[in-house]
Amino acid sequence: MIPTRILDALNSGAPAGSRSYIDIGVEASGTANNSGQTRRSDEIFPRSTSGPFGGPLFNLQPTGNIFRPFAQQPAHQQAGEFNPVSRVLDIRSQLPHNPISSPSHFAVPSSQQGPTPWAEAFSSAFNVLQNVSSQDPRVRRTGLASLSNLLRQAVNSVPESGGLFQGINTLLAELNSPSPRRSSALYHAAVDAMVRFEQGGNPADLEEALSHGWNGLIQIPEANRFGKAIHHNLLGQCLKLRFVRAGNVLDLEAAISHARSGLMLQPPGHKWRAVWLDSLSEFLHYRYERFKDLRDLDEAILLSRESVSLEPSGMPNRAESSRYLAQALVGKFKRFENMIDLDEAISQYQACLLEESSDHDRITSLTGLGNALLLRFPQTSDPSDLEIMIMAYREALSLHHPSHSFRCILLTNLAGALMYQFTLQGSADVLNEIIELFQGALTLRPPGHPKRHAALINVAASLIKRFERWGDPSDLHAAIDLFTEAVTIGENLPELPICLLDLASALHIRFSREGDPADLRQSIVYSSKALALRPPEPSQQRTLLGSLSVSLGSRYTAQGSIGDLEEVIRYRRDALLHLSPTHFDRPIHLDQLGDGLIHRFRIYREFRDLQEAITCHQEALLLEPPGDARRPCTLSHMAHSLLVHYRHSENPDVEDLESCTQYFNDALTLTPPQSPLRSLKLVSLAACLRLRWETLKHSDSLDQALDHLREALSLQSPSYPGRCVTLSQLGDCLLSRYKSSGNVVELEEAVRCHGEALEGIPLVHPRRAEGMRSLANAFIACGTLPGGKFKLGLARNLLRNASNHPTASAYTRLAFPSNGYPLWKEISA
């Protein structure tokens, strides 16, 4: 949008000697006609883009103009249906009184009288113009423009009209000569067209604005520095809008060139210099966002600071300068994450809102403030920031026209702010509103739009959130389809790493639910490719590291590669290095690192890994107060680490076991029944209850454990990656129940569960040795039953294979089952 201060400059006066060149025709005096009545100058040069004959009045462009082709006349006029008699009389009515007053000078025989050469009629019209005094050039140019349109009608209507081209060229030469009054009208027409584009988003309006702006620029004499400067700024703003819409870098480069040209025409200290400083700063910031050249960002900040220094506090135009400075500071924060820059940007936006009154300026500042708070909230987790952010976006959206071209951005930003609210509160209504907002933004980004990939990603991500919360498979599959489309159309875009990352995460989630190895392989491929591109922003880097670690963790779970586990831990440590102690995403990365350390402890039995895992989960829990929707996952991680610690401690503390049980219970209570994570929490709680039964001999604990495990199995598909763990734990619980009840049916079910679990564990997986031990224990329990000797032989083979397994730990090789040497003695006997 052209700053309103430019119009203020035109109305309040320009540098000495230039007033006559920049007059836009707003004087109260107007122009007097021969009847003594005052006529406004916009009656002579209307702001409308239509001339007296229905076609464009100012559409005559120099050869080589690239902005718009020569305007075509309406089809009914091209077909010869146009009668020029009344139009010629309209021309005459605009001319001052002159001796040639007879209408016969303009008479053109009607079509009933047969064809009459057009040249005769126009010859009379030229004679009238030749008698007009040249002291009023505005009236003369009105007549010239009208005759030019009339001549074009003649060319289109009369087959043999080649002789009229000479007359047209004569008129074009005079009409295209420099004229301050015409440049003023063109400027107004360009601004009106640009406003229409911003309100309705019609590209034709923007092209019209560029055409008028260019034609106005070439009308201004070289001596009128201020007049040329405002037209350079107008063209720069139009080209920026076209760059934002279509993404053509040549438009942005041309906008920067116009802004520099305008700034060079305004000496240091000039009272309107801030206008061009702000424009150039804005365009450079756009170029920085595209190419990430720090020189552009640094120059933009310097220009904005100079602009603010030229606008004293309280001046109406200071808000605009402050807003451009805030935008540049936000860009710098995204690169270096220096909170001083972000805090200053938020202060600048808040100052803008105290001074601005127009809807357009207020929308811009509200959006900027919301965007800045959207960046600060993850760093500070301040609830007031989130509240103000949402309020700012809602107010800006209420002020926006429903068809405005930038409405999509506001819909997206409001949805992003509400996503944080959903993460904290877990409200279904909030999530549904988020999805509706993102879908509304997607409708404004039809196929072929340069930003469609971002809208696709947003809708898909919100569907993933809903799937994780309530488990509808259709949401997951729809999200993967949207992510795939985003990757396809974003192949050559800077945002490709984010597209790849999101697709990899969605595939990993589907693998976790359905167990298709192809999904896991593709997830790792996409994550690795995204990481190789290495986007410059630290926030994007840590997101990529976190996603890749999740994919590698899943591959470790499925295949048992120790190298994958080591990479998981390394990537998660790297991601934490980019996070402040209070960052909103820090608990997620802490839990992921703790989970990786627990897995490594199971292999090497290094207690420092276990202690570090507990510390990570404790820190994560402190960052998530009660009511935080992420808290159930952290509670489960904390309970799991305490359970592992209790099992492997030399002096186990019963209080750890009770705390572990309470954590698991709280996590399960906070997890919705439809959540895909519910089965994991059921399995974890069952393991804790079984251990509690073994320690404290509470029979109800074992019964509860069996109920939880059976429910978990009902929620897991046959291909679910973690199903073997659930089966193994159910087999252990059934074996414990058999030892106390002597029910053979429970023993047989325990053997089936352990056998099915062992079949689901890959041959080289570290958990396979443990699975063989568990099945051997079940066979040993069958030793006193019919056929027991055969089953004891199977148990001996299983234990031997477990001790020789390539991934078996020293603990597995030496300890075997809990009854150890007596078992070997019994089997060998």
Side-chain angles (χ1 to χ4, degrees), residues 425-646:
Q425 301 175 3
S427 169
D429 293 336
V430 173
L431 183 56
N432 290 331
E433 182 183 2
I434 290 169
I435 294 174
E436 291 177 2
L437 290 170
F438 280 140
Q439 289 174 337
L442 181 60
T443 60
L444 299 175
R445 296 287 188 259
H449 194 284
K451 296 295 183 180
R452 179 173 173 81
H453 65 284
L456 289 166
I457 288 174
N458 291 331
V459 177
S462 61
L463 291 174
I464 289 291
K465 286 289 184 182
R466 191 163 67 182
F467 166 76
E468 291 176 340
R469 189 70 174 174
W470 290 284
D472 186 352
S474 63
D475 285 337
L476 177 60
H477 294 294
I480 291 176
D481 292 340
L482 293 171
F483 281 136
T484 303
E485 182 183 350
V487 169
T488 302
I489 65 178
E491 190 66 31
N492 299 318
L493 295 175
E495 296 86 355
L496 179 60
I498 302 302
C499 300
L500 292 167
L501 161 69
D502 291 326
L503 178 56
S505 299
L507 289 169
H508 168 260
I509 292 172
R510 190 166 69 179
F511 165 76
S512 299
R513 181 180 178 84
E514 300 177 2
D516 186 354
D519 285 338
L520 179 60
R521 289 194 297 270
Q522 286 296 103
S523 174
I524 295 173
V525 168
Y526 288 136
S527 297
S528 301
K529 185 177 179 181
L531 188 63
L533 295 174
R534 282 285 181 173
E537 276 76 10
S539 60
Q540 295 179 355
Q541 288 187 19
R542 63 172 171 262
T543 304
L544 290 172
L545 289 169
S547 175
L548 183 57
S549 68
V550 170
S551 298
L552 290 172
S554 295
R555 190 168 72 178
Y556 163 75
T557 302
Q559 301 177 6
S561 173
I562 304 300
D564 285 343
L565 180 60
E566 294 296 341
E567 285 193 80
V568 165
I569 295 174
R570 178 168 62 86
Y571 285 147
R572 288 172 179 171
R573 290 193 193 279
D574 289 344
L576 281 170
L577 291 177
H578 294 90
L579 297 173
S580 65
T582 58
H583 196 281
F584 186 80
D585 294 333
R586 188 172 180 84
I588 299 174
H589 293 278
L590 285 167
D591 283 339
Q592 290 176 348
L593 175 59
D595 188 44
L597 291 168
I598 289 291
H599 280 292
R600 192 167 68 179
F601 168 78
R602 289 181 180 276
I603 298 174
Y604 299 114
R605 293 297 193 271
E606 293 285 346
F607 271 87
R608 59 185 179 184
D609 285 340
L610 181 57
Q611 292 293 342
E612 185 181 358
I614 294 174
T615 302
C616 287
H617 297 317
Q618 288 174 336
E619 181 183 348
L621 204 56
L622 291 175
L623 295 173
E624 296 172 345
D628 193 315
R630 300 170 297 176
R631 191 172 174 86
C633 288
T634 305
L635 287 169
S636 295
H637 286 295
M638 183 67 197
H640 183 64
S641 62
L642 289 175
L643 181 61
V644 174
H645 184 270
Y646 177 83

Side-chain angles (χ1 to χ4, degrees), residues 233-262:
N233 191 75
L234 168 69
L235 287 170
Q237 294 290 340
C238 291
L239 288 164
K240 177 209 71 175
L241 291 175
R242 193 162 72 174
F243 164 76
V244 172
R245 179 186 176 276
N248 190 338
V249 178
L250 295 178
D251 286 335
L252 181 59
E253 295 296 340
I256 293 173
S257 177
H258 279 292
R260 291 195 189 279
S261 298

Side-chain angles (χ1 to χ4, degrees), residues 163-236:
L164 295 179
F165 280 110
Q166 182 177 0
I168 292 178
N169 290 333
T170 302
L171 288 173
L172 290 177
E174 183 167 353
L175 283 171
N176 286 326
S177 61
S179 168
R181 305 296 297 187
R182 183 166 184 266
S183 66
S184 299
L186 287 168
Y187 182 89
H188 275 301
V191 172
D192 291 343
M194 188 169 65
V195 171
R196 289 198 306 271
F197 168 76
E198 291 188 320
Q199 292 177 347
N202 186 355
D205 290 331
L206 184 57
E207 297 303 317
E208 182 179 339
L210 284 165
S211 175
H212 291 327
W214 178 260
N215 286 327
L217 179 63
I218 64 177
Q219 296 291 324
I220 301 175
E222 293 296 330
N224 183 7
R225 296 170 62 87
F226 188 77
K228 281 192 171 296
I230 63 170
H231 278 78
H232 278 302
N233 191 75
L234 168 69
L235 287 170

Side-chain angles (χ1 to χ4, degrees), residues 308-376:
V308 171
S309 68
L310 294 175
E311 300 284 356
S313 180
M315 293 295 290
N317 299 324
R318 181 181 176 88
E320 193 168 2
S321 300
S322 298
R323 188 166 60 248
Y324 286 118
L325 175 58
Q327 291 173 355
L329 289 169
V330 168
K332 188 176 181 181
F333 168 79
K334 289 180 180 179
R335 187 65 176 267
F336 300 107
E337 294 197 343
N338 187 338
M339 290 299 296
I340 296 176
D341 294 327
L342 186 58
D343 292 339
E344 183 182 358
I346 292 173
S347 299
Q348 294 289 345
Y349 279 127
Q350 291 172 334
C352 292
L353 290 171
L354 295 176
E355 300 179 3
E356 290 172 331
S357 57
S358 70
D359 285 352
H360 179 273
D361 292 340
R362 188 165 183 83
I363 287 172
T364 306
S365 294
L366 285 168
T367 304
L369 176 61
N371 293 345
L373 291 171
L374 192 62
L375 292 171
R376 189 168 73 175

Side-chain angles (χ1 to χ4, degrees), residues 67-79:
F67 293 120
R68 189 177 65 173
F70 195 89
Q72 298 295 322
Q73 298 300 325
H76 72 278
Q77 297 182 13
Q78 296 178 8

